[in-house]
Amino acid sequence: QITLKESGPTVVKPTETLTLTCTFSGFSLRSKGVGVGWIRQPPGKTLEWLALIYWDDRKFYSPSLEGRVTITKDTSKNQVVLAMTNMDPVDTATYYCAHRADYYNPRGPEFDYWGQGTLVTVSS
Amino acid sequence: DIRMTQSPSSLSASVGDRVTITCRASQGINTYLAWFQQKPGKAPKSLIYAVSTLQSGVPSRFSGSGSGTDFTLTISSLQPEDFATYYCQQYDSYPRTFGQGTKVEMK
């Protein structure tokens, strides 16, 4: 079955760079059509989509964060990494990674499996 | 960006009630509309995708409908485990966007 788990620091200081790792199992980023996305949720607020990477290394970013966010994959380790520079207290949120289902199935789901999330607090 | 507007932002209901949540997109999104359920402290759970297709294992009391810009999530008979927050999401174009959420509370 498909599982994902986020890992990384729980606290970062303002201006620092946040690096989060999504380690997954049950699928491969070598498989055509598959992707992994990152979504965050500030406490008490709605979900915000951040970035998405596909099996063929195409990457998409939220325009509001473009320039601060980089998404990469390590296919051999079954990992996707999100790096976010110049962290600010407003970036305090729970960060989720999610499995992007078959891109080539137009009638299929997008984010069908999610990690448990990791809370990142930005504070000096 | 496509703006997703949900209504209501919260509602109070009783077990057995029929509950309807609407989601309006600021422009047409074809059938690329998903619904998620989130309980406190938990990750969102996929309920419905492509407007009306239930994710495997989701009870049939959940249904989705709509087209173009207006979509609806219906719970035909609310169960105790359904008290949660529900989000719609469009995946027609980038950036993906979510509605602000609808919290379903016990009356």
Side-chain angles (χ1 to χ4, degrees), chain B residues 45 71 85:
Chain B
K45 172 189 172 184
F71 304 91
T85 301

Side-chain angles (χ1 to χ4, degrees), chain B residues 23-25 27-31 33 51 64-72:
Chain B
C23 178
R24 174 166 288 177
Q27 63 190 71
I29 57 171
N30 296 296
T31 59
L33 188 281
V51 178
S65 63
S67 63
T69 60
D70 293 312
F71 304 91
T72 300

Side-chain angles (χ1 to χ4, degrees), chain B residues 63-103:
Chain B
S63 64
S65 63
S67 63
T69 60
D70 293 312
F71 304 91
T72 300
L73 172 69
T74 300
I75 309 172
S76 60
S77 177
L78 197 66
Q79 297 302 300
E81 60 268 30
D82 301 336
F83 292 99
T85 301
Y86 294 85
Y87 295 94
C88 62
Q89 181 226 340
Q90 65 82 18
Y91 52 106
D92 179 74
S93 64
Y94 297 100
R96 306 313 201 208
T97 45
F98 292 85
Q100 80 277 20
T102 296
K103 188 173 184 179

Side-chain angles (χ1 to χ4, degrees), chain A residues 20-46:
Chain A
L20 293 174
T21 300
C22 176
T23 303
F24 56 85
S25 63
F27 69 96
S28 171
L29 270 174
R30 290 191 177 94
S31 300
K32 195 174 181 181
V34 172
V36 171
W38 284 94
I39 302 102
R40 70 179 178 181
Q41 186 174 38
K45 296 189 177 181
T46 189

Side-chain angles (χ1 to χ4, degrees), chain A residues 3-4 6 39 47 96-99 111-117, chain B residues 36 43-46 89 98:
Chain A
T3 64
L4 306 98
E6 306 85 354
I39 302 102
L47 300 157
Y96 298 99
C97 61
H99 170 257
F111 297 127
D112 52 356
Y113 294 91
W114 294 57
Q116 64 189 27
Chain B
F36 297 90
K45 172 189 172 184
S46 175
Q89 181 226 340
F98 292 85

Side-chain angles (χ1 to χ4, degrees), chain A residues 39-115:
Chain A
I39 302 102
R40 70 179 178 181
Q41 186 174 38
K45 296 189 177 181
T46 189
L47 300 157
E48 179 185 12
W49 180 88
L50 303 178
L52 178 57
I53 189 166
Y54 284 102
W55 81 102
D56 57 2
D57 212 35
R58 282 180 299 135
K59 302 166 186 178
F60 296 88
Y61 296 102
S62 170
S64 65
L65 292 169
E66 198 150 5
R68 292 182 57 206
V69 171
T70 304
I71 189 170
T72 56
K73 61 182 174 67
D74 187 330
T75 305
S76 64
K77 292 183 179 178
N78 280 352
Q79 291 180 334
V80 169
V81 174
L82 182 80
M84 186 178 296
T85 62
N86 196 25
M87 292 292 284
D88 182 271
V90 300
D91 296 313
T92 294
T94 296
Y95 287 75
Y96 298 99
C97 61
H99 170 257
R100 202 299 184 200
D102 187 2
Y103 170 84
Y104 288 105
N105 179 3
R107 298 183 186 278
E110 187 174 57
F111 297 127
D112 52 356
Y113 294 91
W114 294 57

